[in-house]
Coordinates of all heavy atoms in Angstrom, one line a residue:
M738 N 31.0 13.8 44.8 CA 30.3 12.7 45.4 C 29.6 13.1 46.8 O 28.5 12.9 47.1 CB 31.2 11.5 45.6 CG 30.5 10.2 45.8 SD 29.3 9.8 44.6 CE 28.5 8.4 45.4
T739 N 30.4 13.8 47.6 CA 29.9 14.3 48.9 C 28.8 15.4 48.7 O 27.9 15.5 49.5 CB 31.0 14.9 49.8 OG1 31.9 15.6 49.0 CG2 31.8 13.8 50.5
R740 N 29.0 16.2 47.6 CA 27.9 17.2 47.4 C 26.6 16.6 47.2 O 25.6 17.1 47.6 CB 28.3 17.9 46.1 CG 29.3 19.1 46.4 CD 29.1 20.1 45.3 NE 29.8 21.4 45.7 CZ 29.8 22.4 44.9 NH1 29.2 22.4 43.7 NH2 30.3 23.6 45.3
L741 N 26.6 15.5 46.5 CA 25.3 14.8 46.2 C 24.7 14.3 47.5 O 23.5 14.5 47.8 CB 25.6 13.6 45.3 CG 24.4 13.1 44.5 CD1 24.2 14.1 43.3 CD2 24.7 11.7 43.9
L742 N 25.5 13.9 48.5 CA 25.0 13.4 49.8 C 24.4 14.6 50.5 O 23.4 14.5 51.2 CB 26.2 12.8 50.6 CG 26.4 11.3 50.4 CD1 27.7 10.9 51.1 CD2 25.2 10.6 51.0
I743 N 25.1 15.8 50.5 CA 24.7 17.0 51.2 C 23.3 17.4 50.6 O 22.4 17.8 51.4 CB 25.7 18.1 51.1 CG1 27.0 17.7 52.0 CG2 25.2 19.4 51.6 CD1 28.2 18.5 51.7
W744 N 23.2 17.4 49.3 CA 22.0 17.8 48.7 C 20.8 16.8 49.1 O 19.7 17.3 49.4 CB 22.1 17.8 47.2 CG 22.6 19.1 46.6 CD1 23.8 19.4 46.1 CD2 21.8 20.3 46.7 NE1 23.9 20.7 45.8 CE2 22.7 21.3 46.1 CE3 20.6 20.7 47.1 CZ2 22.3 22.7 45.9 CZ3 20.2 22.0 47.0 CH2 21.0 23.0 46.4
G745 N 21.2 15.6 49.1 CA 20.1 14.6 49.6 C 19.7 14.8 51.0 O 18.5 14.8 51.3
L746 N 20.7 15.2 51.8 CA 20.4 15.5 53.2 C 19.5 16.7 53.3 O 18.5 16.8 54.1 CB 21.7 15.7 54.0 CG 21.6 15.5 55.5 CD1 21.5 14.0 55.8 CD2 22.9 16.0 56.1
L747 N 19.8 17.8 52.6 CA 19.1 19.0 52.6 C 17.6 18.8 52.2 O 16.7 19.3 52.8 CB 19.7 20.0 51.7 CG 20.9 20.8 52.3 CD1 21.6 21.6 51.2 CD2 20.5 21.6 53.5
I748 N 17.5 18.0 51.1 CA 16.1 17.7 50.6 C 15.4 16.9 51.6 O 14.2 17.2 51.9 CB 16.2 16.9 49.3 CG1 16.7 17.9 48.2 CG2 14.9 16.3 48.9 CD1 17.2 17.1 46.9
Y749 N 16.0 16.0 52.3 CA 15.4 15.2 53.3 C 14.9 16.0 54.5 O 13.8 15.9 55.0 CB 16.4 14.1 53.8 CG 15.8 13.3 55.0 CD1 14.8 12.4 54.8 CD2 16.4 13.4 56.3 CE1 14.3 11.6 55.8 CE2 15.9 12.7 57.3 CZ 14.9 11.8 57.1 OH 14.4 11.0 58.1
I750 N 15.8 17.0 55.0 CA 15.5 17.9 56.1 C 14.3 18.8 55.7 O 13.4 19.0 56.4 CB 16.7 18.7 56.5 CG1 17.8 17.8 57.2 CG2 16.3 19.8 57.4 CD1 19.1 18.4 57.3
G751 N 14.4 19.3 54.5 CA 13.3 20.1 54.0 C 12.0 19.4 53.9 O 10.9 19.9 54.3
Y752 N 12.0 18.1 53.5 CA 10.8 17.3 53.5 C 10.3 17.1 54.8 O 9.1 17.2 55.1 CB 11.2 16.0 52.8 CG 10.0 15.0 52.9 CD1 8.9 15.1 52.1 CD2 10.1 13.9 53.8 CE1 7.9 14.2 52.2 CE2 9.1 13.0 53.9 CZ 8.0 13.1 53.1 OH 7.0 12.2 53.2
R753 N 11.2 16.9 55.8 CA 10.7 16.7 57.2 C 10.1 17.9 57.8 O 9.1 17.8 58.5 CB 11.9 16.3 58.1 CG 12.4 14.8 57.9 CD 11.4 13.8 58.3 NE 11.2 13.9 59.7 CZ 11.8 13.1 60.6 NH1 12.7 12.2 60.2 NH2 11.5 13.2 61.9
I754 N 10.7 19.1 57.5 CA 10.1 20.3 58.0 C 8.7 20.6 57.4 O 7.8 20.9 58.1 CB 11.1 21.5 57.7 CG1 12.3 21.4 58.5 CG2 10.4 22.9 57.9 CD1 13.5 22.3 58.1
I755 N 8.6 20.4 56.1 CA 7.3 20.6 55.4 C 6.2 19.6 56.0 O 5.1 20.0 56.3 CB 7.4 20.5 53.9 CG1 8.2 21.7 53.4 CG2 6.1 20.4 53.2 CD1 8.8 21.5 52.0
S756 N 6.6 18.4 56.2 CA 5.6 17.4 56.6 C 5.2 17.7 58.1 O 4.1 17.4 58.5 CB 6.2 16.0 56.5 OG 7.3 15.8 57.3
S757 N 6.1 18.2 58.9 CA 5.8 18.5 60.3 C 4.9 19.8 60.4 O 4.1 19.9 61.3 CB 7.1 18.7 61.1 OG 7.7 19.9 60.8
L758 N 5.1 20.7 59.4 CA 4.2 21.9 59.4 C 2.8 21.6 58.9 O 1.9 22.2 59.4 CB 4.8 22.9 58.4 CG 6.0 23.7 58.9 CD1 6.6 24.6 57.8 CD2 5.6 24.6 60.1
T759 N 2.7 20.6 58.0 CA 1.3 20.3 57.5 C 0.6 19.3 58.3 O -0.6 19.2 58.2 CB 1.4 19.8 56.0 OG1 2.4 18.8 56.0 CG2 1.8 20.9 55.1
R760 N 1.3 18.6 59.2 CA 0.6 17.5 60.0 C -0.4 17.9 61.0 O -1.5 17.3 61.0 CB 1.7 16.7 60.6 CG 1.3 15.2 60.5 CD 2.2 14.3 61.3 NE 3.5 14.9 61.7 CZ 4.4 14.2 62.4 NH1 4.2 13.0 62.7 NH2 5.6 14.8 62.7
P761 N -0.2 19.0 61.8 CA -1.2 19.2 62.9 C -2.6 19.6 62.5 O -3.3 20.0 63.4 CB -0.5 20.3 63.7 CG 0.9 20.5 63.2 CD 0.8 20.0 61.8
K762 N -2.9 19.5 61.3 CA -4.2 19.8 60.8 C -5.3 18.9 61.3 O -6.5 19.3 61.5 CB -4.3 19.9 59.3 CG -4.0 21.2 58.7 CD -4.2 21.2 57.2 CE -4.0 22.6 56.6 NZ -4.1 22.6 55.1
K763 N -5.0 17.6 61.4 CA -6.1 16.6 61.6 C -6.8 16.7 63.0 O -7.9 16.2 63.2 CB -5.6 15.2 61.4 CG -4.6 14.7 62.4 CD -4.2 13.3 62.1 CE -3.2 12.8 63.1 NZ -2.9 11.4 62.9
S764 N -6.1 17.4 64.0 CA -6.7 17.4 65.4 C -7.9 18.4 65.5 O -8.6 18.4 66.4 CB -5.6 17.8 66.4 OG -5.1 19.1 66.0
V765 N -8.1 19.2 64.4 CA -9.2 20.2 64.5 C -10.5 19.5 64.5 O -11.4 20.0 65.1 CB -9.0 21.1 63.3 CG1 -10.2 22.2 63.2 CG2 -7.7 21.9 63.3
T766 N -10.7 18.4 63.7 CA -12.0 17.8 63.5 C -12.4 17.0 64.8 O -13.5 16.7 64.9 CB -12.0 16.9 62.3 OG1 -10.8 16.1 62.3 CG2 -12.0 17.7 61.0
G767 N -11.4 16.7 65.6 CA -11.7 15.8 66.8 C -12.5 16.5 67.8 O -12.8 17.7 67.7
Q768 N -12.9 15.8 68.8 CA -13.6 16.4 69.9 C -12.7 17.3 70.7 O -11.5 17.1 70.8 CB -14.2 15.3 70.9 CG -15.2 14.4 70.2 CD -15.5 13.2 71.1 OE1 -14.7 12.7 71.9 NE2 -16.8 12.7 71.0
T769 N -13.3 18.3 71.4 CA -12.6 19.2 72.2 C -12.2 18.5 73.5 O -13.1 18.0 74.2 CB -13.3 20.5 72.5 OG1 -14.7 20.1 72.8 CG2 -13.3 21.4 71.3
R770 N -10.9 18.4 73.8 CA -10.5 17.8 75.0 C -10.9 18.6 76.2 O -11.2 19.7 76.2 CB -8.9 17.6 74.9 CG -8.4 16.6 73.9 CD -8.5 15.2 74.5 NE -8.0 14.2 73.6 CZ -6.7 13.9 73.6 NH1 -5.8 14.4 74.3 NH2 -6.3 12.9 72.7
E771 N -10.9 17.9 77.3 CA -11.2 18.5 78.6 C -10.2 19.6 79.0 O -10.5 20.6 79.6 CB -11.3 17.5 79.7 CG -12.6 16.7 79.6 CD -12.7 15.7 80.7 OE1 -11.8 15.5 81.5 OE2 -13.8 15.0 80.8
R772 N -8.9 19.3 78.6 CA -7.9 20.3 78.8 C -8.1 21.6 78.0 O -7.8 22.6 78.5 CB -6.5 19.7 78.4 CG -5.9 18.7 79.4 CD -5.1 19.5 80.4 NE -4.3 18.5 81.2 CZ -3.1 18.1 80.9 NH1 -2.6 18.4 79.8 NH2 -2.4 17.3 81.7
G773 N -8.7 21.4 76.8 CA -8.9 22.6 76.0 C -7.7 23.3 75.5 O -7.4 24.4 76.0
E774 N -6.9 22.7 74.7 CA -5.7 23.3 74.2 C -5.9 24.3 73.1 O -5.3 25.4 73.1 CB -4.7 22.2 73.8 CG -4.0 21.6 75.0 CD -3.5 20.2 74.6 OE1 -3.1 20.0 73.5 OE2 -3.4 19.4 75.5
A775 N -6.8 24.0 72.2 CA -7.1 24.9 71.1 C -8.1 26.0 71.6 O -7.7 27.2 71.5 CB -7.8 24.1 70.0
T776 N -9.2 25.6 72.1 CA -10.1 26.6 72.6 C -10.2 26.4 74.1 O -10.3 25.2 74.6 CB -11.6 26.5 72.0 OG1 -12.0 25.2 72.2 CG2 -11.6 26.9 70.6
T777 N -10.2 27.4 74.9 CA -10.3 27.3 76.4 C -11.7 26.9 76.8 O -12.6 27.5 76.5 CB -9.8 28.6 77.1 OG1 -10.4 29.7 76.4 CG2 -8.3 28.7 77.1
T778 N -11.7 25.8 77.6 CA -13.0 25.3 78.1 C -13.0 25.5 79.6 O -11.9 25.5 80.3 CB -13.2 23.8 77.8 OG1 -12.1 23.1 78.2 CG2 -13.5 23.6 76.3
H779 N -14.2 25.7 80.1 CA -14.4 26.0 81.6 C -15.4 25.0 82.1 O -16.4 24.7 81.4 CB -14.7 27.4 81.8 CG -13.7 28.4 81.4 ND1 -12.6 28.8 82.1 CD2 -13.6 29.0 80.2 CE1 -11.9 29.6 81.4 NE2 -12.4 29.8 80.2
R780 N -15.3 24.6 83.3 CA -16.3 23.7 83.9 C -17.4 24.5 84.6 O -17.1 25.4 85.4 CB -15.6 22.8 85.0 CG -16.4 21.7 85.4 CD -15.5 20.7 86.2 NE -16.3 19.7 86.7 CZ -16.9 19.7 87.9 NH1 -16.8 20.8 88.6 NH2 -17.7 18.7 88.4
D781 N -18.6 24.2 84.2 CA -19.7 24.7 84.8 C -19.8 24.3 86.3 O -19.9 23.0 86.5 CB -21.0 24.3 84.1 CG -22.3 24.9 84.5 OD1 -22.4 25.2 85.7 OD2 -23.1 25.2 83.7
P782 N -19.7 25.2 87.3 CA -19.7 24.7 88.7 C -21.0 24.1 89.2 O -21.1 23.5 90.2 CB -19.3 26.0 89.5 CG -19.7 27.1 88.6 CD -19.6 26.6 87.2
V783 N -22.1 24.4 88.4 CA -23.4 23.9 88.9 C -23.7 22.5 88.4 O -23.9 21.6 89.1 CB -24.5 24.9 88.4 CG1 -25.9 24.3 88.8 CG2 -24.3 26.3 89.0
C784 N -23.6 22.3 87.0 CA -23.9 21.0 86.5 C -22.7 20.2 86.1 O -22.8 19.0 85.7 CB -24.9 21.1 85.4 SG -24.3 22.0 83.9
G785 N -21.5 20.8 86.1 CA -20.3 20.1 85.8 C -20.0 19.9 84.4 O -19.1 19.1 84.0
V786 N -20.7 20.5 83.5 CA -20.5 20.4 82.1 C -19.3 21.3 81.6 O -19.2 22.4 82.2 CB -21.8 20.8 81.3 CG1 -21.5 21.2 79.9 CG2 -22.8 19.6 81.3
Y787 N -18.6 20.9 80.7 CA -17.5 21.7 80.2 C -18.0 22.6 79.0 O -18.6 22.0 78.1 CB -16.3 20.9 79.7 CG -15.5 20.3 80.8 CD1 -15.8 19.1 81.4 CD2 -14.5 21.0 81.4 CE1 -15.1 18.6 82.5 CE2 -13.7 20.6 82.4 CZ -14.1 19.3 83.0 OH -13.3 18.8 84.1
V788 N -17.8 23.8 79.1 CA -18.2 24.8 78.1 C -17.0 25.5 77.5 O -16.1 25.9 78.3 CB -19.3 25.7 78.6 CG1 -20.7 25.0 78.7 CG2 -18.9 26.4 79.9
S789 N -17.1 25.8 76.2 CA -16.0 26.6 75.6 C -16.3 28.1 75.9 O -17.5 28.5 76.1 CB -15.9 26.4 74.1 OG -17.1 26.8 73.5
E790 N -15.2 28.9 75.9 CA -15.4 30.2 76.4 C -16.3 31.0 75.5 O -17.0 31.9 76.0 CB -14.0 30.9 76.3 CG -13.9 32.1 77.3 CD -12.5 32.5 77.5 OE1 -11.7 31.7 78.0 OE2 -12.2 33.7 77.2
E791 N -16.4 30.7 74.2 CA -17.3 31.5 73.3 C -18.7 31.1 73.5 O -19.6 31.9 73.2 CB -16.8 31.3 71.8 CG -16.5 29.9 71.4 CD -15.7 29.9 70.1 OE1 -14.5 30.1 70.1 OE2 -16.3 29.6 69.1
D792 N -19.0 29.9 73.9 CA -20.4 29.4 74.1 C -20.9 29.7 75.5 O -22.1 29.6 75.8 CB -20.5 27.9 73.8 CG -20.3 27.6 72.4 OD1 -20.6 28.5 71.5 OD2 -19.8 26.5 72.1
A793 N -20.0 29.9 76.4 CA -20.3 30.0 77.8 C -21.1 31.3 78.2 O -20.9 32.3 77.6 CB -19.1 29.9 78.7
V794 N -21.9 31.2 79.2 CA -22.6 32.3 79.9 C -21.6 32.7 81.0 O -21.4 32.0 81.9 CB -24.0 32.0 80.4 CG1 -24.6 33.2 81.1 CG2 -24.9 31.5 79.3
I795 N -21.1 33.9 80.9 CA -20.1 34.4 81.9 C -20.7 35.2 82.9 O -21.4 36.2 82.6 CB -18.9 35.1 81.2 CG1 -18.2 34.3 80.1 CG2 -17.9 35.6 82.2 CD1 -17.4 35.0 79.1
G796 N -20.5 34.8 84.2 CA -21.1 35.6 85.3 C -19.9 36.1 86.2 O -19.0 35.3 86.5
R797 N -19.9 37.3 86.5 CA -18.9 37.9 87.4 C -19.5 38.0 88.8 O -20.4 38.8 89.1 CB -18.5 39.3 86.9 CG -17.5 39.2 85.7 CD -17.0 40.6 85.4 NE -16.0 40.6 84.3 CZ -16.4 40.6 83.1 NH1 -17.7 40.6 82.7 NH2 -15.5 40.5 82.1
L798 N -19.0 37.0 89.6 CA -19.5 36.9 91.0 C -18.4 37.0 91.9 O -17.4 36.3 91.8 CB -20.3 35.6 91.1 CG -21.5 35.5 90.2 CD1 -21.8 34.0 90.0 CD2 -22.7 36.2 90.7
E799 N -18.5 37.8 92.9 CA -17.5 38.0 94.0 C -16.1 38.2 93.4 O -15.1 37.7 93.8 CB -17.5 36.8 94.9 CG -18.8 36.7 95.7 CD -18.7 35.6 96.7 OE1 -18.0 34.5 96.4 OE2 -19.3 35.7 97.8
G800 N -16.0 39.1 92.3 CA -14.8 39.4 91.7 C -14.2 38.3 90.8 O -13.1 38.5 90.3
Q801 N -14.8 37.2 90.7 CA -14.3 36.1 89.9 C -15.2 35.9 88.7 O -16.4 36.1 88.8 CB -14.2 34.8 90.7 CG -12.9 34.7 91.5 CD -12.7 33.4 92.1 OE1 -13.6 32.8 92.7 NE2 -11.6 32.8 91.8
R802 N -14.6 35.4 87.6 CA -15.4 35.1 86.4 C -15.8 33.6 86.5 O -14.9 32.7 86.7 CB -14.6 35.3 85.2 CG -14.6 36.8 84.8 CD -13.5 37.1 83.8 NE -14.1 36.9 82.5 CZ -13.3 36.6 81.4 NH1 -12.0 36.5 81.5 NH2 -13.8 36.4 80.2
H803 N -17.1 33.3 86.4 CA -17.5 31.9 86.3 C -18.2 31.7 85.0 O -18.9 32.5 84.4 CB -18.5 31.7 87.5 CG -17.9 31.8 88.8 ND1 -17.2 30.8 89.4 CD2 -17.8 32.9 89.7 CE1 -16.7 31.2 90.6 NE2 -17.1 32.5 90.8
F804 N -18.0 30.5 84.5 CA -18.5 30.1 83.2 C -19.6 29.1 83.3 O -19.4 28.0 84.0 CB -17.4 29.6 82.3 CG -16.3 30.6 82.0 CD1 -15.3 30.8 83.0 CD2 -16.4 31.4 80.9 CE1 -14.3 31.7 82.7 CE2 -15.4 32.4 80.7 CZ -14.4 32.5 81.6
F805 N -20.8 29.3 82.7 CA -21.9 28.5 82.8 C -22.4 28.0 81.4 O -22.2 28.8 80.5 CB -23.0 29.2 83.6 CG -22.6 29.6 85.0 CD1 -22.2 30.9 85.1 CD2 -22.7 28.8 86.0 CE1 -21.8 31.4 86.4 CE2 -22.3 29.2 87.3 CZ -21.9 30.5 87.5
C806 N -23.1 26.9 81.4 CA -23.6 26.4 80.1 C -24.9 27.2 79.7 O -25.2 27.3 78.6 CB -23.9 24.9 80.2 SG -25.2 24.4 81.3
S807 N -25.6 27.7 80.7 CA -26.8 28.4 80.4 C -27.1 29.4 81.5 O -26.5 29.4 82.6 CB -28.0 27.4 80.4 OG -28.2 26.8 81.6
H808 N -28.1 30.3 81.3 CA -28.5 31.3 82.3 C -29.1 30.7 83.5 O -29.0 31.2 84.6 CB -29.4 32.3 81.6 CG -28.8 33.4 80.8 ND1 -28.1 34.4 81.4 CD2 -28.6 33.5 79.5 CE1 -27.6 35.2 80.4 NE2 -27.8 34.6 79.3
A809 N -29.8 29.5 83.3 CA -30.4 28.8 84.4 C -29.3 28.4 85.4 O -29.5 28.5 86.6 CB -31.1 27.6 83.9
C810 N -28.2 27.9 84.9 CA -27.1 27.5 85.9 C -26.5 28.7 86.6 O -26.2 28.7 87.7 CB -26.0 26.8 85.1 SG -26.4 25.0 84.8
L811 N -26.4 29.8 85.8 CA -25.9 31.1 86.4 C -26.8 31.5 87.6 O -26.3 31.9 88.7 CB -25.8 32.2 85.4 CG -25.5 33.6 85.8 CD1 -24.1 33.7 86.5 CD2 -25.5 34.5 84.6
E812 N -28.1 31.4 87.4 CA -29.1 31.8 88.4 C -29.0 30.9 89.6 O -29.1 31.3 90.7 CB -30.5 31.8 87.8 CG -30.8 32.9 86.8 CD -30.5 34.3 87.4 OE1 -30.9 34.6 88.5 OE2 -29.8 35.1 86.7
K813 N -28.8 29.6 89.3 CA -28.7 28.6 90.4 C -27.5 28.9 91.3 O -27.5 28.9 92.5 CB -28.6 27.2 89.8 CG -29.9 26.5 89.7 CD -29.6 25.0 89.3 CE -30.9 24.3 88.9 NZ -30.6 23.0 88.3
F814 N -26.4 29.3 90.6 CA -25.1 29.6 91.3 C -25.3 30.8 92.1 O -24.8 30.9 93.3 CB -24.0 29.7 90.3 CG -22.6 29.7 90.9 CD1 -22.1 28.6 91.3 CD2 -21.9 30.9 91.0 CE1 -20.8 28.6 91.9 CE2 -20.7 30.9 91.6 CZ -20.1 29.7 92.0
R815 N -26.0 31.8 91.6 CA -26.3 33.0 92.3 C -27.1 32.7 93.6 O -26.8 33.3 94.7 CB -27.0 34.0 91.4 CG -26.1 35.0 90.8 CD -26.8 36.1 90.1 NE -26.0 36.9 89.2 CZ -26.4 37.5 88.1 NH1 -27.6 37.3 87.7 NH2 -25.5 38.2 87.4
E816 N -28.1 31.9 93.4 CA -28.9 31.5 94.5 C -28.1 30.8 95.6 O -28.3 31.1 96.8 CB -30.1 30.6 94.1 CG -31.3 31.3 93.6 CD -32.3 30.4 93.1 OE1 -32.5 29.3 93.7 OE2 -33.0 30.7 92.0
Q817 N -27.3 29.9 95.2 CA -26.4 29.2 96.2 C -25.5 30.2 96.9 O -25.3 30.1 98.1 CB -25.5 28.2 95.4 CG -26.2 26.9 95.1 CD -25.4 26.0 94.3 OE1 -24.2 26.2 94.1 NE2 -26.0 25.0 93.7
L818 N -25.0 31.2 96.2 CA -24.2 32.2 96.9 C -25.0 33.0 97.9 O -24.5 33.3 99.0 CB -23.6 33.2 95.9 CG -22.3 32.7 95.2 CD1 -21.8 33.8 94.2 CD2 -21.2 32.5 96.2
D819 N -26.2 33.3 97.5 CA -27.1 34.1 98.4 C -27.4 33.3 99.7 O -27.5 33.9 100.8 CB -28.4 34.4 97.7 CG -28.2 35.5 96.7 OD1 -27.2 36.2 96.8 OD2 -29.1 35.7 95.8
H820 N -27.5 32.0 99.6 CA -27.8 31.2 100.7 C -26.6 31.0 101.6 O -26.7 31.0 102.9 CB -28.3 29.8 100.3 CG -29.7 29.8 99.8 ND1 -30.7 30.2 100.6 CD2 -30.2 29.5 98.6 CE1 -31.8 30.2 99.8 NE2 -31.5 29.7 98.6
T821 N -25.4 30.9 101.0 CA -24.2 30.6 101.8 C -23.7 31.9 102.5 O -23.2 31.9 103.6 CB -23.1 30.0 101.0 OG1 -22.9 30.7 99.8 CG2 -23.4 28.5 100.7
S822 N -23.7 33.0 101.7 CA -23.2 34.2 102.3 C -24.3 35.0 103.0 O -25.4 35.0 102.6 CB -22.6 35.1 101.2 OG -23.6 35.4 100.2
P823 N -24.0 35.6 104.2 CA -25.0 36.3 105.0 C -25.4 37.6 104.3 O -24.7 38.2 103.6 CB -24.3 36.6 106.3 CG -22.8 36.5 106.0 CD -22.6 35.6 104.8
Ligands
ZN765 ZN1 -24.8 24.1 83.5

């Protein structure tokens, strides 16, 4: 009698594990959050738009990597640096 209970428990645990493994699929279709947990997003310092790392225009300025939505924003940022730094 107890064996039957143990089997039922094992099947239940197995079912829970399988359902928890298959569940996280649905978040893929949603919008990319600002936090960017799946793909890393970066904030464009010029226009404030969030861009994903693969779409971003990456500029290396003053030893730091900056991410921009377009080359126009990168150029703007460079211009701003030229004005602020002597
Ligand atoms: Zn931009």
